[in-house]
Amino acid sequence: MAPLIGRRLRKGAATTAVAAAAMAALTASQAPGFANTDHGDRNREQRAEEAPAPEDTPIDGGSSYHTDLPPLVTPDKPGSSIDLPGLPGGSNTKPEAGIPASVLAAYKKAEATLKDSNPGCNLPWELLAAIGKVESGQAGGGNVDADGTTVSPILGPVLNGDGFALIKDTDGGAYDGDSTHDRAVGPMQFIPSTWASWGRDGNGDGERDPNNIYDAALAAGSYLCADGRDLSVKADLDRAILGYNHSQEYLNTVLSWFEYYKRGIHEVPDGTGVLPSGDGSGGSGSRDKGKDSGKNPGKDGGKDTGRGEEQDAHTLPKPDPEPDNSTPTPPAGDDGSPTPTPKPPTTPPSTPSGTSKLTTVGAKELSTTAGAGFAQSPRVKAVDTAGKPVAGARVRYEILGETDTRFLGLVKSATVLTGLDGTATAPKLLAGEKTGAFTVRATAVGREAAPVEFTATVKARPVPKADALARLDDKKLTAETGGSFADPLTVTATNKGKATEGVPMTATMITTAKDPELNDRGPYFLDDEGKPVRTLTALKTNALGQFTLPKILTDDQAGTFLLRLTAEGGAVLDIELTVTQPAAS
């Protein structure tokens, strides 16, 4: 057993070295995201490498994965660039650059969905492709049906503590077929307990299936975007990948494929993708503990790529209801902005391209009512020292102050790129129930330009009013002394003929219509403590504009009594209540 473990540990070390070489080659060839990275980015990357996994994150850092790396073809001429798709000497028909059609469609659909729901995340589909490559070999070479569901299950080993984590069954075997212990499932390798929190319906069929590439891709993207991450920021990108699997080897491998896919890919038919050739043993080795799973060894080293074999598991953290939305800000002088076109300019711009000033576009004071969306979003324009617009600059919007207002996606901060006209519009603001003023600050990321602040105010909802009250029926209300009225009393509040929700109402037992004093005898209600009361306040109509009064009881007084209902807006309705003595036996 020991020699096998030794090979796995050495494999992990070798993977780091090869991945580092690949990253160096990609950097030398000016792969996007690395050519303009300065020392500040490298320092942030180093911090990401050294940071331990959060204590509350249920991720097993020793999970294995496919260790295959993008091809590094040795050129005929020493010193020439590596053979990457889309580069001179490369080929867009390279097998490794082919992604099965349904799998590729799922990644792009997840990107589009999250662009609408969480635009500040800036999730690229190539990142999902990179993770899908190392997790399942693009769902086993595209071994999926027409709906995107894997033809054969992709299952990890039984998590029974024998060389792996001990996770008792959480799904009754519904996803993994094991009612005793959990197993990782599907193209993105979710364990069932994690899927319960992060599962998404990516194909709109009303189901959340970890075996479906559309559902799994959207769930993985949602996790990567969690905690207010902006994946266009290198530190956040590293943090997201390490959160998926806290292993430096894993980070290097994913980043290698990420850069490779960004240089160009091509679509291949489902079922014809390239299967990983590695042994699937990448990882820190921390989970071996002197044991091995012994499950289905084969050419893929225990990885199940849709052919009935097994692979290791990992989990993702549960969503945080109050995430920390802070985003590391690059130091001055590195805006990290993507260029507006796929290729960087070959000659320096004729005018200064750095952002020197942010100016407000449109209203600087915004307002709405509680629970509603703001009609306008904060908007700024970035200009250079010559006063010309700067395209492709990153602008970070942050919500400051005591408020429960959030950007679309329920985040407190978001980073967006300026357009060709230099303007950047914040995601839509959604007000919560907390009223009052707060601030939205716009900052040019990595520049010394002064921030721009917007004042936003959430006002209380207008109080609904009613100009008429009416009973649902005209049945006479009668009861005997010492009893209660059996028939419920329901009224409808309308304003200009329309039923109105949320209308405040008061119910009071009064003496007479002309002299509406509080009656101290006759019918009554019970308060929350069970004590008799003859006035009820803080009543409100429901979505149908209706309200049903609680049970009305009677004392020992017989006669005709009057109940008055008063609604906000002035509507009044008097209702007679008749109380009789019990019939003689």
Side-chain angles (χ1 to χ4, degrees), residues 492-561:
T492 300
T494 58
N495 191 43
K496 298 181 180 179
K498 290 186 177 182
T500 307
E501 178 184 3
V503 177
M505 296 178 54
T506 301
T508 306
M509 300 295 177
I510 61 174
T511 51
T512 64
K514 292 184 178 181
D515 185 18
E517 297 293 332
L518 179 65
N519 202 338
D520 60 358
R521 63 188 184 90
Y524 61 92
F525 305 102
L526 294 178
D527 63 13
D528 293 338
E529 298 179 355
K531 296 180 180 179
V533 294
R534 290 184 169 84
T535 297
L536 292 179
T537 59
L539 311 177
K540 289 186 178 181
T541 57
N542 60 19
L544 299 177
Q546 298 176 355
F547 183 82
T548 300
L549 272 75
K551 179 177 290 188
I552 304 174
L553 297 92
T554 61
D555 57 13
D556 58 357
Q557 299 292 316
T560 300
F561 301 90

Side-chain angles (χ1 to χ4, degrees), residues 38-295:
D38 68 359
H39 295 289
D41 281 328
R42 286 193 290 272
N43 290 338
R44 287 194 299 276
E45 182 178 0
Q46 181 66 26
R47 287 195 297 271
E49 294 174 4
E50 297 174 352
E55 294 181 358
D56 59 348
T57 301
I59 299 175
D60 187 74
S63 69
S64 65
Y65 48 87
H66 292 298
T67 57
D68 290 19
L69 290 168
L72 295 175
V73 178
T74 304
D76 293 335
K77 182 179 179 181
S80 58
S81 65
I82 60 176
D83 187 6
L84 289 174
L87 289 177
S91 171
N92 280 329
T93 61
K94 292 183 66 61
E96 295 84 353
I99 299 180
S102 293
V103 178
L104 178 60
Y107 296 149
K108 291 185 175 182
K109 182 175 175 62
E111 178 195 57
T113 299
L114 288 165
K115 185 176 182 180
D116 290 337
S117 64
N118 191 355
C121 174
N122 296 305
L123 170 78
W125 66 262
E126 293 91 345
L127 178 58
L128 294 175
I131 291 175
K133 178 69 174 179
V134 302
E135 292 294 339
S136 66
Q138 307 301 17
N143 190 28
V144 298
D145 61 21
D147 296 325
T149 302
T150 55
V151 175
S152 302
I154 301 179
L155 297 174
V158 178
L159 301 178
N160 58 5
D162 184 12
F164 303 96
L166 173 59
I167 304 179
K168 294 185 179 180
D169 175 67
T170 59
D171 68 331
Y175 293 126
D176 54 17
D178 191 326
S179 58
T180 304
H181 297 91
D182 271 347
R183 304 174 70 175
V185 179
M188 292 300 191
Q189 287 295 276
F190 284 85
I191 65 168
S193 58
T194 301
W195 184 257
S197 298
W198 284 102
R200 300 290 188 270
D201 177 15
N203 58 0
D205 64 356
E207 301 291 335
R208 299 186 305 159
D209 183 1
N211 297 294
N212 183 277
I213 183 60
Y214 290 93
D215 295 356
L218 182 58
S222 299
Y223 164 72
L224 293 168
C225 289
D227 296 338
R229 296 183 187 119
D230 175 6
L231 300 182
S232 68
V233 175
K234 184 63 167 61
D236 273 11
L237 174 65
D238 289 355
R239 186 158 56 97
I241 298 172
L242 288 170
Y244 208 104
N245 185 326
H246 201 83
S247 161
Q248 186 60 36
E249 294 93 334
Y250 183 86
L251 174 65
N252 291 341
T253 305
V254 169
L255 287 177
S256 297
W257 282 108
F258 179 39
E259 293 302 322
Y260 181 75
Y261 287 140
K262 287 199 295 184
R263 304 300 291 178
I265 62 97
H266 61 275
E267 180 182 299
V268 298
D270 289 345
T272 64
V274 176
L275 292 175
S277 59
D279 66 359
S281 64
S284 67
S286 63
R287 75 186 309 158
D288 291 303
K289 305 298 183 184
K291 301 179 181 179
D292 187 81
S293 68
K295 302 290 184 181

Side-chain angles (χ1 to χ4, degrees), residues 414-433:
T415 302
V416 296
L417 302 180
T418 57
L420 294 177
D421 61 352
T423 62
T425 304
K428 187 176 181 64
L429 282 166
L430 305 175
E433 295 301 323

